[in-house]
Amino acid sequence: MQNPTRKPGEWNSYDVIWTAPTFNDDKTVKTPARVTVLFNGVLVQDNTTLLGPTQYIGAPAYRQAHGPAPIKLQSHGDPSEPLSFRNIWIRNL
């Protein structure tokens, strides 16, 4: 309905509210991960359920129980100007 992307040369911002998945004692999924994303202040994902890690091929699925993991940022192979990230803040809520 709208494109919140800023013009080239201006910084875009993302606010990501992440709820990690939880697992039962037998390592099955108790509650899947959920994410809410605001892109330049515009809601683009609203408490969306994630069915597992994003796969290159195939459907996402939780293959094993896990705890905290690193955050990964990617450029999807964009051949344009190098991508930069700044002011990354992480808070446990």
Side-chain angles (χ1 to χ4, degrees):
M1 294 172 51
Q2 63 178 309
N3 183 355
T5 305
R6 296 194 175 132
K7 55 186 172 178
E10 292 185 12
W11 287 98
N12 289 290
S13 70
Y14 287 94
D15 291 297
V16 180
I17 298 99
W18 170 263
T19 303
T22 59
F23 299 92
N24 295 308
D25 291 337
D26 66 357
K27 301 191 184 209
T28 57
V29 177
K30 184 176 185 179
T31 58
R34 302 189 72 73
V35 66
T36 296
V37 179
L38 293 120
F39 178 41
N40 291 328
V42 175
L43 183 67
V44 293
Q45 295 289 330
D46 187 14
N47 202 28
T48 302
T49 300
L50 302 174
L51 302 176
T54 304
Q55 304 298 314
Y56 174 63
I57 297 174
Y62 294 104
R63 304 218 187 318
Q64 62 186 15
H66 58 81
I71 294 173
K72 298 177 183 179
L73 305 174
Q74 63 185 46
S75 66
H76 297 283
D78 188 345
S80 63
E81 293 293 321
L83 296 180
S84 299
F85 301 95
R86 68 177 189 173
N87 297 334
I88 298 171
W89 298 28
I90 301 169
R91 292 188 311 164
N92 285 329
L93 301 175

